[in-house]
């Protein structure tokens, strides 16, 4: 019997560990097969909510935010590239910029209502990390939305307005009040959390443990 599993995936499209975590989670769910019936909901988190419109060069940003040296940055970037490759995701090498992602989160909120949130999320990760696209650009966002089968005119209308801004802000605040301070944070059935871009086997083990614990609770409540 397949066990229902609600998954809240709190993340930002400019976070490399988020796509690593998502790819690993997807592969874990594929491995588990009929053991679980998962529903993933992507929740907004902005790593850089005050980012200027033109963005910032990636190393300059990392150095300012974390105090990293060029060597440390390059070593971390290579580690990320290798982890991505293991999971079938391409991190394009070369210079890129960090951008404001609030409009991307608004579009993702709309995409969930249209049943295409995960497709859009994955396509935004690809646009940003594999193509170094500006994911704050309304044209880029509309292009990506159209590519995954969303209505381009409707996407452009959402982006040109402040639609879903209040909902995204509310969700961002909600997850912060629940203790989320870094991403990815993956919350299962509103009770269990896994943080970081964990390997596939870690997700498999965590999900099986959650299923087992919930089964024990259900059985304990029976006469």
């Amino acid at each position: 019997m397949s066990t229902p599993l609600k998954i809240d995936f709190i993340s930002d499209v400019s976070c490399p560990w988020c796509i690593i975590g998502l790819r690993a989670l997807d592969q874990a769910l594929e491995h588990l097969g009929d053991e679980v019936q998962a529903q993933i909901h992507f929740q907004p988190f902005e790593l850089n909510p005050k980012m200027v419109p033109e963005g910032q060069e990636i190393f300059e940003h990392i150095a300012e935010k974390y105090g990293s040296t060029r060597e440390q940055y390059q070593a971390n970037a290579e580690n990320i590239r290798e982890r991505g490759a293991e999971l079938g995701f391409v991190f394009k090498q070369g210079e890129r910029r960090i951008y404001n992602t609030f409009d991307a989160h608004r579009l993702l909120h709309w995409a969930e209502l249209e049943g295409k949130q995960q497709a859009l999320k994955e396509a935004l990760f690809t646009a940003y990390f594999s193509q170094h696209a500006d994911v704050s650009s309304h044209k880029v966002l509309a292009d990506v939305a159209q590519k995954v089968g969303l209505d381009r005119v409707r996407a452009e209308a959402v982006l040109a307005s402040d639609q879903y801004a209040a909902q995204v802000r509310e969700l961002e605040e909600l997850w912060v009040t629940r203790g989320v301070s870094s991403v990815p944070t993956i919350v299962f059935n509103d009770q269990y959390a896994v943080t970081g871009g964990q390997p596939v086997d870690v997700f498999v083990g965590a999900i099986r443990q959650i299923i087992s614990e919930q089964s024990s609770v259900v059985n304990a409540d029976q006469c």
Side-chain angles (χ1 to χ4, degrees):
M1 182 176 175
S2 186
T3 303
L5 187 67
K6 178 192 175 191
I7 303 174
D8 287 298
F9 195 97
I10 303 104
S11 60
D12 198 354
V13 297
S14 62
C15 164
W17 292 109
C18 292
I19 179 56
I20 287 172
L22 178 59
R23 280 295 178 97
L25 174 63
D26 280 341
Q27 291 183 23
L29 292 173
E30 184 178 344
H31 176 81
L32 290 163
D34 293 337
E35 291 182 52
V36 294
Q37 185 178 358
Q39 286 192 333
I40 303 178
H41 305 273
F42 292 94
Q43 304 291 354
F45 189 98
E46 289 179 85
L47 287 169
N48 305 287
K50 297 181 180 179
M51 180 56 63
V52 294
E54 67 271 18
Q56 185 179 22
E57 193 275 327
I58 180 65
F59 172 66
E60 178 184 302
H61 174 75
I62 295 296
E64 286 182 6
K65 191 170 184 178
Y66 304 107
S68 302
T69 64
R70 174 70 70 173
E71 291 73 22
Q72 289 170 328
Y73 164 72
Q74 290 175 337
N76 189 49
E78 180 59 21
N79 180 36
I80 288 169
R81 189 192 66 77
E82 289 177 358
R83 286 288 304 278
E86 290 170 3
L87 294 163
F89 186 83
V90 176
F91 285 96
K92 180 181 175 182
Q93 294 179 302
E95 298 300 319
R96 61 181 172 86
R97 299 181 74 79
I98 291 283
Y99 298 102
N100 185 287
T101 57
F102 184 68
D103 284 342
H105 287 299
R106 287 199 300 118
L107 205 62
L108 283 161
H109 188 89
W110 166 64
E112 182 170 31
L113 304 177
E114 300 292 320
K116 290 186 177 293
Q117 192 184 41
Q118 182 156 355
L120 181 61
K121 185 76 168 184
E122 292 175 352
L124 287 171
F125 278 132
T126 297
Y128 182 62
F129 289 111
S130 302
Q131 301 163 3
H132 291 184
D134 176 358
V135 288
S136 68
S137 161
H138 286 188
K139 181 183 183 305
V140 168
L141 291 172
D143 285 346
V144 176
Q146 183 178 16
K147 191 175 295 183
V148 300
L150 286 159
D151 183 85
R152 184 188 184 94
V153 173
R154 183 74 182 93
E156 289 174 337
V158 169
L159 292 166
S161 69
D162 63 352
Q163 198 166 8
Y164 307 119
Q167 292 92 327
V168 169
R169 294 288 187 215
E170 185 178 335
L171 286 168
E172 287 179 331
E173 291 173 9
L174 172 67
W175 290 105
V176 169
T177 61
R178 290 183 178 180
V180 175
S181 59
S182 62
V183 288
T185 295
I186 302 96
V187 179
F188 299 92
N189 288 344
D190 298 313
Q191 290 182 299
Y192 310 88
V194 174
T195 60
Q198 301 293 343
V200 175
D201 60 343
V202 170
F203 281 115
V204 170
I207 291 169
R208 280 186 170 149
Q209 183 177 348
I210 290 164
I211 293 170
S212 175
E213 289 180 9
Q214 292 205 323
S215 176
S216 297
V217 170
V218 170
N219 291 334
D221 289 341
Q222 294 175 335
C223 293

